[in-house]
Amino acid sequence: MADALESIPALRIDRLTNVRGICTYSILLNHLDKSVLFGEIPIFDFMIWATPTSPLGENRSLQVVEQEAVDFLRVLREEGFYDSEDAFQDRLDQVQGEIKAGSVKGVVQGDHSYANLGGTWTQTYQELEFGIRRAWRNARKCIMRSHCEELRLCDMRGVTSSVEMVTELVKGIYDAFNGGNVQPTVFAFPPRNVNARGPMIWNHQVLQFAGYEAEGGTVLGDPVSVKITNAMIDLGWQPPEQRGRWDLLPLVAMAEGDRPAMIELPADLRKLVNIRHPKYTTEFERLDLKWVAFPALTRLGFDIGGVQYTAAPFIGWFMDAEIGVRDLADSFRYNVLPDIIDAIGLTRDKLQGDIEVFDDLPEYEKLSMLSRAQAELNYAVHWSFVQAKVNMTDTLTASMKWCRYDDDFKEKNGYRLPADPYWLAPPQGSIVPLWHRGGAPNYQPKPMICKHMQDPIKAWRKEKQEGHAGAQILKPVAVVKESTAIAVEKKSETGTTTHQTEIFHRRNSLQLFQRPQKEVQSPANGNRYISIFFCSTGTIAEKLANKLHRWLNSLVKGFSDLRLCSGPEPLNSLNASDLVADNILLLVVSSTGEGDIPSNGLGLLKVCENVLSKRLVNRNEGFRFAVFGNGDSRYSATYNGAAMKINDHLTLVGGYPLAAGVFQADTAVDPLPLSALRSWLHKLRPSIVDQPIECLATAVAKSPIDDKHTAVFVKVTPIIELHHKYEDYQDRLLSTLGEASLVGGSPGTHEDRSLLLTFDIDNNQFEEMSCIQILPSNAPSKVNQALRSLSVKSSDRVNLGLDWKNPTYLSFLTDYVDLELPFSDVECLEAVEVASHRGLTRASLSKLSVQKVLERLHSSIVQMSDGQKCEFINDLCQDMPLLSTRTYSIASSRHYSSSCNGVGLRNGRQVDIMVKVLPCGRFSDTFVKDSAIPTSLRYRIVDSPSGSILRKNYLRPFIIVATGAGFGPVRCLLQWRMGTIRDALATGHPLSSQGSRISLFLGLKQPDIELILDVLNEAMSFSLIDMLDIVLSSPTKRRVYHSLGRSPQHLRHKLFKQEGMAFVCTNKVAAKEIKSTFEIILGGRVGQMLGERYVEEVF
């Protein structure tokens, strides 16, 4: 290695040895061909090269701090942070000037020389956000780094006292925990100044169990916490009167130059996950094992561009083995494995004769039992977190994601990310593939996560001897939760947001190459190659791609001209050379963010851009592709957005879709949609293998009265196995639906207005701010007409290939198919039209609804023989389009209904929705017009895209902008708030609404006013509304967003000073205008300034 370094003319070895703390590895990579280290010399791919790291809390020379700042700014330049070289140089000059201005004389740690010390410099929000994300990516001991771009920054650099530190951190942790759906977040307190220790936190984690040392050296609680527990008792903490194994320590922090502040955690953060086992229920209940819901490391900080953040707590989620294999199982921690062995009876048949206790057993027997107990404990941990609805990953998933992330990084950059094999190798050992990965380059680039050189407890004791006063002990801090209304004020006015750069060219910005829509036939003697690609931020798409590969591997064995790839690859692996004739591309695509393409799929867009810019489309014409979208229908505005974008791009560069559009799976119904994947493959199979489709075979049906041709029955060999389609529909949709009744609303004509409809449902166990998905079944009158047209009995069963699961015609025509849509295939219908001399063309037939076509077919069907009729009707049924659900926000509150105490003539099972009436809308117009009150229907409750954010913040101040039926979720929020106030009044503890009121800006049509007056009047009687502006539709085209500009100071005060929420619920066009108006008022991008406090629901 030394020889390799000395051979580099541009790099001086003495610079490396004299400048302590500089990112040695990053300097090397600027001068050294990466293949020297990681390509042509294989030994270096497994070499452990540990770069010296400098701890936080030390003084560094002016030269070192300046160099680290320059290195960091250069990385930012490479990442496109600066528009020009002049902008980079201006920022560099500004930073260097700030560092020199803060420089003082002092002792440099390490060589103890007396020199000019480097000052600190102020990083922008964007620079700090990039720094913490890059530091996480560089963390050698962390296996979850593939999520680094999702890391959020909570900027607390304005917090300068110990009391503020503990209170603001608790509030921030509560928000990031997010009710179990943890948002990885760093809470950055002010950086350390020269010759100072910087802010520090005593706890190793925010949630840390106490450890009480007893006589004989035994410990009650966590043995690793004995020292810090004693220190906190010395500081003034009073443990519970009845001490236990699961007592949580208070949180202690001390700002720079301030004494410690100590605070007990609120009840919502102290909730523990009870570890239970579905098989050993009683046994695990007796063991009474628990663990905290999330890890939040507090003794680590960040070293970014020469700036030392000594207090920067970091919340994430657990990997199951951290708890099940280490924390609870390690012999020097809770050591519960012997208890589990005893509890589940592993020693029951082993303890005989002289073998009286576990320790008497042979070592191989003990190892077997310990391994079994460890596996059961780890399973119990993961199962318990799933039941508690708290984020957790498993070892196999985490290992697979890390390997994929590291491999992608190496393929792109030529070298691997830093990794410490001791920490990354899973504790389960060789059964996890990562264990076999071997050594890894153990270098440490910056930015980095590292420890403080001082112990905070020892630092405080020293300061106390120098005359500082005692600790500040606080009461538990309040957090925003369902039963408490408070005004949360924070010093920092900086929001949090995540950014993702996506190269996406819309259709109108790309040159479109017109080509005839022809069917691509494979050459008779050619070979076709099938490639499988995937992209996602998680592992679901990769799992589906692997499953698809296994299925296809069996399929292609019978076809000599088909070749299958060796395995699925990330979409970034696709090259322009893959876009050639005779290639078949199958893509499994998940979305991220707001329908964005995940980072391991963005490379496709660059390939497409290159193909288009070089006009290579004609050369690439002929490749075929299909896209499987792995989306979530609860996010209706972005549902399978990435899959649709990829589908569009492949079409633009000359690809021919194997199927019409994107196949859209729904993880809201099935978290791992294997059945949907199977249906997709069956749909594609004929196109993949080019199996000849049987020609249309016509059979003439003669009238029993004469020999004239009265009808033609066309038998079509199905090109897919249709029973999978209907089995999927049963399992993934119908089986998930409950029964409801439409009990309130005015049927009839409802043009140009919204409706308020009330349903009685069979479930009242759902969360506020949820959505309801409704299956708009066909009206009984239309079903009866269809039965008459088909000349079948309602109790007869449709032959869908489902055996005993075949539905009756009544059920099929009511809940399976949509009689209002056209047939999906009208080929056989066209033949009947021709034979009956009515002569409607295929184009005309494809525009008629199923209902109207069946009415036309009745006279032909009744003249067919029984056998012909049976086959023809089966074909008709298989070509009928399936019903799909419609999603609406729930416009009422369960909490409000229960607080009425029977006064409001409602029960807890009734829900309201507001529906905008669309002409010929399947539910809003057709279903409601056709239905009498009451009428039954099928439904299910799903969470709204912003439900979790609104629930945890519903008592904050709000600015709400809504139009039309978008008032639905607003109505729910108002009722929920009123129900909370009612409950408080009933208990004699009235809540003040001051500081948490709602400003309402509504755009409505005149007929909609009567739907909202009751809830608005009641809300104003509770003093919930501090501003109400209603804009009615008018010829002047004045819009609701125009009203926002009339009160800019009020809006800025509510959003910045009161830390309020902005909630927008409207259509896509209005949402864009409203967002622009907010950005003008606030003077910046709402995403950056408000983060998750800006919520949109677009319909």
Side-chain angles (χ1 to χ4, degrees), residues 179-215:
N181 185 22
V182 180
Q183 303 292 335
T185 306
V186 167
F187 306 90
F189 290 100
R192 167 188 176 271
N193 290 312
V194 183
N195 288 324
R197 59 166 165 78
M200 301 178 75
I201 297 174
W202 283 31
N203 308 61
H204 293 89
Q205 297 209 27
V206 170
L207 301 180
Q208 183 173 355
F209 291 119
Y212 308 108
E213 193 166 17
E215 294 181 5

Side-chain angles (χ1 to χ4, degrees), residues 528 530 548-565 685 688-689 691:
R528 290 162 295 143
I530 303 173
L548 178 64
H549 185 267
R550 287 196 291 272
W551 288 343
L552 279 170
N553 195 43
S554 301
L555 175 66
V556 301
K557 288 180 179 178
F559 299 90
S560 59
D561 63 335
L562 276 179
R563 294 172 55 222
L564 178 64
C565 61
R685 176 174 173 165
I688 292 174
V689 301
Q691 289 178 317

